[in-house]
Coordinates of all heavy atoms in Angstrom, one line a residue:
F6 N 22.5 101.3 164.9 CA 22.7 102.7 165.4 C 23.8 102.7 166.4 O 24.0 101.8 167.3 CB 21.4 103.1 166.0 CG 20.2 103.3 165.1 CD1 19.3 102.2 165.0 CD2 20.0 104.5 164.5 CE1 18.3 102.4 164.1 CE2 18.9 104.6 163.5 CZ 18.1 103.5 163.4
E7 N 24.7 103.7 166.2 CA 25.8 103.8 167.2 C 26.0 105.3 167.5 O 26.2 106.1 166.5 CB 27.1 103.3 166.7 CG 28.2 103.3 167.7 CD 29.5 102.8 167.1 OE1 29.5 102.5 166.0 OE2 30.5 102.9 167.8
L8 N 26.0 105.6 168.8 CA 26.3 107.0 169.3 C 27.6 106.9 170.0 O 27.7 106.3 171.0 CB 25.1 107.4 170.1 CG 25.2 108.9 170.7 CD1 25.3 109.9 169.6 CD2 24.0 109.2 171.7
T9 N 28.6 107.7 169.6 CA 29.8 107.7 170.3 C 29.9 108.8 171.5 O 29.1 109.7 171.4 CB 31.0 108.1 169.4 OG1 30.8 109.4 168.8 CG2 31.0 107.1 168.2
Q10 N 30.8 108.6 172.3 CA 31.1 109.6 173.4 C 31.6 110.8 172.8 O 32.5 110.7 171.9 CB 32.0 109.0 174.4 CG 32.2 109.8 175.6 CD 30.9 110.2 176.4 OE1 30.2 109.2 176.8 NE2 30.6 111.4 176.8
N11 N 31.4 111.9 173.2 CA 31.9 113.2 172.7 C 33.4 113.2 173.0 O 33.9 112.7 173.9 CB 31.2 114.4 173.3 CG 31.5 114.5 174.8 OD1 31.1 113.7 175.5 ND2 32.0 115.7 175.3
Y12 N 34.1 114.0 172.2 CA 35.5 114.1 172.3 C 35.9 115.6 172.0 O 35.5 116.1 170.9 CB 36.3 113.2 171.3 CG 37.8 113.3 171.5 CD1 38.5 112.7 172.5 CD2 38.5 114.2 170.6 CE1 39.8 112.8 172.6 CE2 39.9 114.3 170.8 CZ 40.5 113.6 171.8 OH 41.9 113.8 171.9
P13 N 36.7 116.3 172.8 CA 37.2 115.9 174.0 C 36.1 116.0 175.2 O 35.2 116.7 175.0 CB 38.3 116.8 174.3 CG 37.9 118.1 173.6 CD 37.2 117.6 172.4
N14 N 36.3 115.3 176.3 CA 35.4 115.3 177.3 C 36.3 115.1 178.6 O 36.9 114.1 178.8 CB 34.4 114.2 177.2 CG 33.3 114.3 178.2 OD1 32.9 115.4 178.7 ND2 32.7 113.2 178.6
P15 N 36.3 116.2 179.5 CA 35.7 117.4 179.5 C 36.2 118.3 178.3 O 37.3 118.0 177.7 CB 36.1 118.0 180.8 CG 37.0 117.2 181.4 CD 37.2 115.8 180.7
F16 N 35.4 119.3 177.9 CA 35.7 120.2 176.9 C 35.6 121.7 177.2 O 34.9 122.0 178.1 CB 34.7 119.9 175.7 CG 33.3 120.2 175.9 CD1 32.8 121.3 175.3 CD2 32.4 119.3 176.6 CE1 31.4 121.8 175.6 CE2 31.2 119.6 176.8 CZ 30.6 120.9 176.2
N17 N 36.2 122.4 176.4 CA 36.1 123.9 176.4 C 36.7 124.5 175.2 O 37.9 124.4 174.9 CB 36.9 124.4 177.7 CG 36.8 125.9 177.8 OD1 36.0 126.6 177.2 ND2 37.8 126.5 178.5
P18 N 35.9 125.2 174.4 CA 34.5 125.5 174.5 C 33.7 124.5 173.6 O 32.5 124.5 173.6 CB 34.3 126.9 174.0 CG 35.4 127.0 172.9 CD 36.5 126.2 173.3
T19 N 34.4 123.8 172.7 CA 33.6 122.9 171.7 C 33.9 121.4 171.9 O 35.0 121.0 172.3 CB 33.8 123.4 170.2 OG1 35.2 123.1 170.0 CG2 33.4 124.7 170.0
T20 N 33.0 120.6 171.5 CA 33.2 119.2 171.4 C 32.4 118.6 170.2 O 31.5 119.2 169.7 CB 32.7 118.5 172.8 OG1 33.1 117.2 172.9 CG2 31.2 118.7 173.0
T21 N 32.8 117.3 169.9 CA 32.2 116.7 168.8 C 31.9 115.2 169.1 O 32.5 114.6 169.9 CB 33.3 116.6 167.6 OG1 33.8 118.0 167.4 CG2 32.7 116.0 166.4
F22 N 30.9 114.7 168.5 CA 30.5 113.3 168.6 C 29.9 112.9 167.3 O 29.5 113.6 166.4 CB 29.5 113.0 169.8 CG 28.2 113.9 169.7 CD1 27.1 113.3 169.0 CD2 28.1 115.2 170.2 CE1 25.9 114.1 169.0 CE2 26.9 115.8 170.2 CZ 25.8 115.3 169.6
R23 N 29.8 111.5 167.2 CA 29.3 110.9 165.9 C 28.1 110.0 166.1 O 28.0 109.4 167.2 CB 30.4 110.1 165.2 CG 31.6 111.0 164.7 CD 32.6 110.2 163.8 NE 33.0 108.9 164.4 CZ 34.0 108.8 165.2 NH1 34.9 109.8 165.4 NH2 34.3 107.6 165.7
L24 N 27.2 109.9 165.0 CA 26.1 109.0 165.0 C 26.3 108.2 163.8 O 26.3 108.8 162.7 CB 24.8 109.8 165.0 CG 23.6 109.1 164.8 CD1 23.3 108.1 166.0 CD2 22.4 110.0 164.6
A25 N 26.2 106.9 164.0 CA 26.3 106.0 162.7 C 24.8 105.4 162.6 O 24.2 104.9 163.5 CB 27.2 104.8 163.0
L26 N 24.3 105.7 161.4 CA 22.8 105.2 161.1 C 23.0 104.1 160.0 O 23.6 104.2 159.0 CB 22.2 106.4 160.3 CG 21.8 107.6 161.2 CD1 21.2 108.7 160.4 CD2 20.9 107.2 162.5
P27 N 22.3 103.0 160.3 CA 22.3 101.9 159.4 C 21.3 102.1 158.2 O 21.5 101.5 157.1 CB 21.8 100.6 160.2 CG 21.0 101.3 161.3 CD 21.5 102.7 161.6
K28 N 20.4 103.0 158.4 CA 19.5 103.3 157.2 C 19.0 104.8 157.4 O 19.2 105.4 158.5 CB 18.3 102.4 157.3 CG 17.5 102.5 158.6 CD 16.4 101.4 158.7 CE 15.7 101.5 160.1 NZ 14.6 100.5 160.2
K29 N 18.3 105.3 156.4 CA 17.8 106.7 156.4 C 16.9 106.8 157.7 O 16.1 106.0 157.9 CB 17.1 107.0 155.2 CG 16.5 108.3 155.0 CD 15.9 108.5 153.6 CE 14.7 109.3 153.7 NZ 14.1 109.4 152.4
A30 N 16.9 108.0 158.3 CA 16.1 108.1 159.4 C 15.8 109.6 159.8 O 16.6 110.5 159.4 CB 16.7 107.5 160.7
E31 N 14.7 109.9 160.4 CA 14.4 111.2 161.0 C 15.2 111.3 162.2 O 15.1 110.5 163.1 CB 12.9 111.3 161.2 CG 12.5 112.7 161.9 CD 12.4 113.8 160.8 OE1 12.4 113.5 159.6 OE2 12.4 115.0 161.2
V32 N 16.0 112.3 162.3 CA 17.0 112.5 163.4 C 16.8 113.8 164.1 O 16.6 114.8 163.5 CB 18.4 112.4 163.0 CG1 19.5 112.6 164.1 CG2 18.7 111.0 162.3
K33 N 16.8 113.8 165.5 CA 16.8 115.0 166.3 C 17.9 114.9 167.3 O 18.0 113.8 168.1 CB 15.4 115.1 167.1 CG 15.2 116.3 167.8 CD 13.8 116.4 168.3 CE 13.6 117.7 169.1 NZ 12.2 117.8 169.6
V34 N 18.7 115.9 167.4 CA 19.9 116.0 168.3 C 19.7 117.2 169.2 O 19.7 118.3 168.7 CB 21.2 115.9 167.6 CG1 22.4 116.1 168.5 CG2 21.4 114.9 166.6
T35 N 19.6 116.9 170.5 CA 19.3 118.0 171.5 C 20.2 117.9 172.7 O 20.7 116.8 173.1 CB 17.9 117.8 172.0 OG1 17.0 117.6 170.9 CG2 17.4 119.1 172.7
V36 N 20.6 119.0 173.2 CA 21.4 119.1 174.3 C 20.7 119.7 175.5 O 20.0 120.8 175.4 CB 22.7 120.1 174.1 CG1 23.6 120.2 175.4 CG2 23.6 119.5 172.9
Y37 N 20.9 119.1 176.7 CA 20.1 119.4 177.9 C 21.1 119.7 179.1 O 22.2 119.1 179.1 CB 19.2 118.3 178.4 CG 18.1 118.0 177.4 CD1 18.2 117.0 176.5 CD2 16.9 118.7 177.5 CE1 17.2 116.8 175.5 CE2 15.8 118.4 176.6 CZ 16.1 117.6 175.6 OH 15.0 117.2 174.7
N38 N 20.7 120.6 180.0 CA 21.5 120.8 181.2 C 21.1 119.8 182.2 O 20.2 119.0 182.0 CB 21.5 122.2 181.7 CG 20.1 122.7 182.1 OD1 19.2 121.9 182.3 ND2 19.8 124.0 182.2
M39 N 21.7 119.9 183.5 CA 21.4 119.0 184.6 C 19.9 119.1 185.0 O 19.4 118.2 185.7 CB 22.4 119.3 185.8 CG 23.7 118.7 185.6 SD 23.8 116.9 185.5 CE 23.4 116.6 187.2
L40 N 19.3 120.3 184.8 CA 17.8 120.4 185.2 C 16.9 119.9 184.2 O 15.7 119.9 184.4 CB 17.7 121.9 185.5 CG 18.5 122.6 186.5 CD1 18.3 124.1 186.6 CD2 18.2 121.9 187.9
G41 N 17.4 119.4 183.1 CA 16.5 118.8 182.1 C 16.1 119.9 181.1 O 15.2 119.7 180.3
Q42 N 16.7 121.1 181.1 CA 16.2 122.2 180.3 C 16.9 122.0 179.0 O 18.2 121.8 179.0 CB 16.5 123.6 181.0 CG 15.8 123.7 182.3 CD 16.4 124.9 183.0 OE1 17.5 125.2 183.1 NE2 15.4 125.7 183.7
R43 N 16.3 122.3 177.9 CA 17.0 122.2 176.5 C 17.8 123.4 176.4 O 17.4 124.6 176.6 CB 15.9 122.2 175.4 CG 16.5 122.0 174.1 CD 15.5 121.8 173.1 NE 14.9 123.1 172.8 CZ 14.0 123.3 171.9 NH1 13.4 122.4 171.3 NH2 13.4 124.5 171.7
V44 N 19.1 123.2 176.1 CA 20.1 124.2 175.9 C 20.3 124.5 174.4 O 20.5 125.7 174.1 CB 21.4 123.8 176.5 CG1 22.6 124.8 176.2 CG2 21.4 123.6 178.0
A45 N 20.2 123.5 173.6 CA 20.4 123.7 172.1 C 19.8 122.5 171.4 O 19.7 121.4 171.9 CB 21.9 123.8 171.8
E46 N 19.3 122.8 170.2 CA 18.9 121.8 169.3 C 19.9 121.8 168.1 O 19.9 122.7 167.4 CB 17.5 122.0 168.7 CG 17.0 120.8 167.9 CD 15.5 121.0 167.5 OE1 14.6 120.6 168.5 OE2 15.1 121.3 166.4
L47 N 20.7 120.7 168.0 CA 21.8 120.8 167.0 C 21.3 120.3 165.7 O 22.0 120.8 164.7 CB 22.9 119.9 167.5 CG 23.6 120.1 168.9 CD1 24.6 119.2 169.3 CD2 24.0 121.6 168.9
F48 N 20.3 119.5 165.6 CA 19.8 119.0 164.3 C 18.5 118.5 164.4 O 18.1 117.9 165.4 CB 20.8 118.1 163.6 CG 20.4 117.5 162.3 CD1 20.7 118.3 161.2 CD2 19.6 116.4 162.2 CE1 20.3 117.8 159.9 CE2 19.2 116.0 161.0 CZ 19.5 116.7 159.8
H49 N 17.6 118.6 163.4 CA 16.3 118.1 163.4 C 16.0 117.9 161.9 O 15.7 118.9 161.1 CB 15.2 118.9 164.1 CG 13.9 118.2 164.2 ND1 12.7 118.9 164.4 CD2 13.6 116.9 164.2 CE1 11.8 118.0 164.5 NE2 12.2 116.8 164.3
G50 N 15.9 116.7 161.4 CA 15.6 116.4 160.0 C 16.0 115.0 159.5 O 16.4 114.2 160.4
Q51 N 15.9 114.7 158.2 CA 16.3 113.5 157.6 C 17.8 113.4 157.4 O 18.3 114.4 156.9 CB 15.5 113.3 156.3 CG 14.0 113.0 156.4 CD 13.7 111.6 156.7 OE1 14.5 110.7 156.3 NE2 12.6 111.4 157.3
L52 N 18.3 112.2 157.7 CA 19.7 112.0 157.4 C 19.8 110.6 156.7 O 19.1 109.7 157.0 CB 20.6 111.9 158.7 CG 20.8 113.2 159.3 CD1 21.6 113.1 160.6 CD2 21.7 114.1 158.4
P53 N 20.7 110.5 155.7 CA 20.8 109.2 155.0 C 21.7 108.2 155.9 O 22.3 108.7 156.9 CB 21.6 109.5 153.7 CG 22.4 110.7 154.2 CD 21.5 111.5 155.1
A54 N 21.7 106.9 155.5 CA 22.5 106.0 156.3 C 24.0 106.4 156.2 O 24.4 107.1 155.3 CB 22.4 104.6 155.6
G55 N 24.8 106.1 157.2 CA 26.3 106.6 157.2 C 26.5 107.1 158.6 O 25.8 107.1 159.5
V56 N 27.8 107.7 158.6 CA 28.3 108.3 159.8 C 28.2 109.8 159.7 O 28.6 110.3 158.7 CB 29.8 107.9 160.0 CG1 30.3 108.6 161.4 CG2 29.9 106.3 160.2
H57 N 27.6 110.4 160.7 CA 27.4 111.8 160.8 C 28.0 112.4 162.0 O 27.9 111.9 163.1 CB 25.8 112.1 160.7 CG 25.2 111.5 159.6 ND1 25.2 112.0 158.4 CD2 24.5 110.3 159.5 CE1 24.5 111.2 157.6 NE2 24.1 110.2 158.2
T58 N 28.6 113.6 161.9 CA 29.3 114.2 163.0 C 28.6 115.6 163.4 O 28.1 116.2 162.5 CB 30.7 114.7 162.5 OG1 31.4 113.4 162.0 CG2 31.5 115.3 163.6
F59 N 28.5 115.7 164.7 CA 27.8 116.9 165.3 C 28.7 117.6 166.2 O 29.6 116.9 166.9 CB 26.5 116.5 166.0 CG 25.5 115.8 165.2 CD1 25.5 114.3 165.1 CD2 24.7 116.5 164.4 CE1 24.6 113.7 164.3 CE2 23.7 115.9 163.6 CZ 23.7 114.5 163.6
S60 N 28.7 118.9 166.3 CA 29.5 119.7 167.3 C 28.6 120.5 168.1 O 27.5 120.9 167.7 CB 30.5 120.6 166.5 OG 31.4 119.8 165.8
F61 N 29.1 120.7 169.4 CA 28.4 121.6 170.3 C 29.3 122.6 170.8 O 30.5 122.3 171.2 CB 27.8 120.8 171.5 CG 27.3 121.5 172.6 CD1 26.1 122.3 172.4 CD2 27.9 121.6 173.8 CE1 25.6 123.1 173.3 CE2 27.3 122.4 174.8 CZ 26.2 123.2 174.6
D62 N 28.9 123.8 170.8 CA 29.7 125.0 171.2 C 29.2 125.5 172.5 O 28.0 126.0 172.5 CB 29.7 126.1 170.1 CG 30.6 127.3 170.5 OD1 31.0 127.4 171.6 OD2 30.9 128.0 169.5
G63 N 29.9 125.4 173.6 CA 29.5 125.7 175.0 C 29.9 127.1 175.4 O 29.9 127.3 176.5
R64 N 30.2 127.9 174.4 CA 30.8 129.3 174.8 C 29.7 130.1 175.7 O 30.1 130.8 176.5 CB 31.1 130.1 173.6 CG 32.4 129.9 173.0 CD 32.6 130.7 171.8 NE 32.8 129.9 170.6 CZ 34.0 129.7 170.1 NH1 35.1 130.3 170.5 NH2 34.1 128.9 169.0
N65 N 28.4 129.9 175.3 CA 27.4 130.6 176.1 C 26.8 129.9 177.2 O 25.8 130.3 177.8 CB 26.4 131.0 175.1 CG 26.8 132.0 174.0 OD1 27.7 132.8 174.3 ND2 26.3 131.9 172.8
C66 N 27.4 128.8 177.6 CA 27.0 128.0 178.7 C 27.8 128.0 180.0 O 29.0 128.3 179.8 CB 26.7 126.5 178.3 SG 25.7 126.2 176.9
A67 N 27.3 127.7 181.2 CA 28.1 127.7 182.3 C 28.8 126.4 182.4 O 28.4 125.4 181.8 CB 27.2 127.9 183.6
S68 N 29.9 126.3 183.1 CA 30.6 125.1 183.4 C 29.5 124.1 184.1 O 28.7 124.6 184.8 CB 31.8 125.2 184.4 OG 32.8 126.0 183.8
G69 N 29.7 122.8 183.8 CA 28.9 121.8 184.4 C 28.7 120.6 183.4 O 29.3 120.4 182.4
V70 N 27.7 119.8 183.9 CA 27.5 118.5 183.1 C 26.2 118.8 182.3 O 25.2 119.4 182.6 CB 27.1 117.4 184.2 CG1 26.6 116.1 183.5 CG2 28.3 117.1 185.1
Y71 N 26.3 118.3 181.0 CA 25.2 118.5 180.0 C 25.0 117.1 179.5 O 25.9 116.1 179.5 CB 25.7 119.4 178.9 CG 25.8 120.9 179.4 CD1 27.0 121.3 180.1 CD2 24.7 121.7 179.4 CE1 27.0 122.6 180.5 CE2 24.7 123.0 179.8 CZ 25.9 123.4 180.4 OH 25.9 124.7 180.8
F72 N 23.9 116.9 178.8 CA 23.6 115.6 178.2 C 23.2 115.9 176.7 O 22.5 116.8 176.5 CB 22.4 114.9 178.9 CG 22.6 114.6 180.3 CD1 22.3 115.5 181.4 CD2 23.2 113.4 180.7 CE1 22.7 115.2 182.6 CE2 23.6 113.1 182.0 CZ 23.3 114.0 182.9
Y73 N 23.6 115.0 175.8 CA 23.1 115.1 174.5 C 22.3 113.9 174.2 O 22.6 112.8 174.6 CB 24.3 115.3 173.4 CG 25.4 114.3 173.4 CD1 25.4 113.2 172.5 CD2 26.4 114.5 174.3 CE1 26.5 112.3 172.4 CE2 27.5 113.6 174.3 CZ 27.5 112.5 173.3 OH 28.5 111.7 173.4
R74 N 21.1 114.1 173.6 CA 20.1 113.1 173.3 C 19.9 113.0 171.8 O 19.7 114.1 171.2 CB 18.9 113.4 174.0 CG 17.7 112.5 173.7 CD 16.4 113.0 174.3 NE 15.3 112.2 173.8 CZ 14.5 111.5 174.5 NH1 14.7 111.2 175.8 NH2 13.5 110.8 173.9
V75 N 20.0 111.8 171.3 CA 19.8 111.6 169.9 C 18.6 110.6 169.7 O 18.5 109.6 170.3 CB 21.0 111.0 169.2 CG1 20.8 110.6 167.8 CG2 22.2 111.9 169.3
E76 N 17.6 111.1 168.9 CA 16.5 110.3 168.5 C 16.6 110.0 167.0 O 16.7 111.0 166.2 CB 15.1 111.1 168.8 CG 14.9 111.3 170.3 CD 13.8 112.3 170.4 OE1 12.7 112.0 170.0 OE2 13.9 113.3 171.1
A77 N 16.6 108.8 166.6 CA 16.7 108.4 165.2 C 15.9 107.2 165.0 O 16.2 106.1 165.3 CB 18.2 108.1 164.9
G78 N 14.7 107.5 164.4 CA 13.7 106.3 164.3 C 13.3 105.8 165.6 O 12.9 106.6 166.5
D79 N 13.5 104.5 165.9 CA 13.1 103.9 167.1 C 14.3 104.0 168.1 O 14.2 103.6 169.3 CB 12.8 102.4 166.9 CG 11.5 102.2 166.2 OD1 10.6 103.2 166.2 OD2 11.3 101.2 165.5
F80 N 15.5 104.5 167.7 CA 16.7 104.5 168.6 C 16.6 105.8 169.3 O 16.3 106.9 168.8 CB 17.9 104.4 167.7 CG 19.2 104.7 168.5 CD1 19.8 103.8 169.2 CD2 19.8 106.0 168.4 CE1 20.9 104.0 169.9 CE2 20.9 106.3 169.1 CZ 21.5 105.2 169.8
V81 N 17.0 105.7 170.6 CA 17.2 106.9 171.5 C 18.5 106.6 172.3 O 18.6 105.6 173.0 CB 16.1 107.1 172.5 CG1 16.3 108.3 173.4 CG2 14.7 107.4 171.7
G82 N 19.4 107.6 172.2 CA 20.7 107.5 172.9 C 21.0 108.7 173.7 O 20.7 109.8 173.1
I83 N 21.5 108.6 174.8 CA 21.8 109.7 175.6 C 23.2 109.6 176.3 O 23.5 108.5 176.7 CB 20.8 109.9 176.9 CG1 19.4 110.1 176.3 CG2 21.2 111.1 177.7 CD1 18.3 110.1 177.4
K84 N 24.1 110.6 176.2 CA 25.4 110.6 176.7 C 25.7 111.8 177.5 O 25.0 112.9 177.2 CB 26.5 110.5 175.5 CG 26.3 109.3 174.7 CD 27.1 108.1 175.2 CE 27.1 107.0 174.1 NZ 27.7 105.8 174.7
R85 N 26.6 111.7 178.4 CA 26.9 112.8 179.3 C 28.2 113.5 178.8 O 29.1 112.8 178.4 CB 27.1 112.3 180.7 CG 27.4 113.3 181.8 CD 27.4 112.6 183.2 NE 28.6 111.9 183.3 CZ 29.7 112.2 184.1 NH1 29.7 113.4 184.6 NH2 30.7 111.5 184.2
M86 N 28.3 114.7 179.0 CA 29.5 115.5 178.7 C 29.7 116.6 179.8 O 28.8 117.1 180.3 CB 29.4 116.0 177.3 CG 28.3 117.0 177.0 SD 28.4 117.4 175.2 CE 26.7 118.3 175.1
V87 N 31.0 117.1 179.9 CA 31.3 118.0 181.0 C 32.0 119.1 180.3 O 33.1 119.0 179.6 CB 32.2 117.3 182.0 CG1 32.7 118.4 183.1 CG2 31.6 116.1 182.6
L88 N 31.5 120.3 180.6 CA 32.0 121.6 180.1 C 32.9 122.2 181.2 O 32.2 122.4 182.4 CB 30.9 122.6 179.6 CG 31.3 124.0 179.4 CD1 32.3 124.1 178.3 CD2 30.1 124.9 179.0
V89 N 34.1 122.5 181.1 CA 35.0 123.1 182.0 C 35.5 124.4 181.5 O 36.2 124.4 180.5 CB 36.1 122.2 182.5 CG1 37.1 122.9 183.4 CG2 35.6 120.8 183.0
K90 N 35.2 125.5 182.2 CA 35.7 126.8 181.7 C 36.9 127.3 182.6 O 37.0 127.0 183.7 CB 34.6 127.8 181.7 CG 33.7 127.5 180.6 CD 32.6 128.6 180.4 CE 31.9 128.4 179.1 NZ 31.0 129.5 178.8

């Protein structure tokens, strides 16, 4: 499993990151704000092995630090991203 840092970072208004899966897995991709509140659920479902790209649109969010969390099977990865308006 590999979770990349989002690009660009800082971003305005959209950013992208990738997840590499070595095998088929149940995947959940969620974005949280600094208070730990869920801002968006980008994906929830089965994905095959391979590289998958996800995008986050922060148009409706305030400037600040956000976290994206990926759960894929036993793997959990969290990365930080910065929205600057």
Side-chain angles (χ1 to χ4, degrees):
F6 296 92
E7 181 185 2
L8 178 61
T9 64
Q10 184 63 50
N11 65 301
Y12 181 82
N14 192 26
F16 69 97
N17 179 20
T19 61
T20 189
T21 302
F22 58 92
R23 290 189 314 264
L24 171 66
L26 297 175
K28 59 184 178 182
K29 179 176 143 181
E31 179 76 20
V32 175
K33 185 174 181 181
V34 181
T35 314
V36 176
Y37 296 92
N38 64 16
M39 285 290 292
L40 300 174
Q42 299 166 325
R43 187 175 73 182
V44 173
E46 185 170 287
L47 302 181
F48 183 82
H49 189 198
Q51 288 276 336
L52 285 176
V56 177
H57 305 278
T58 302
F59 300 93
S60 293
F61 174 64
D62 186 339
R64 275 180 243 259
N65 297 324
C66 299
S68 293
V70 176
Y71 292 86
F72 299 91
Y73 54 101
R74 175 186 168 118
V75 175
E76 300 171 52
D79 294 333
F80 171 81
V81 176
I83 300 172
K84 299 273 187 181
R85 182 175 74 101
M86 58 185 171
V87 179
L88 171 60
V89 178
K90 289 191 172 185

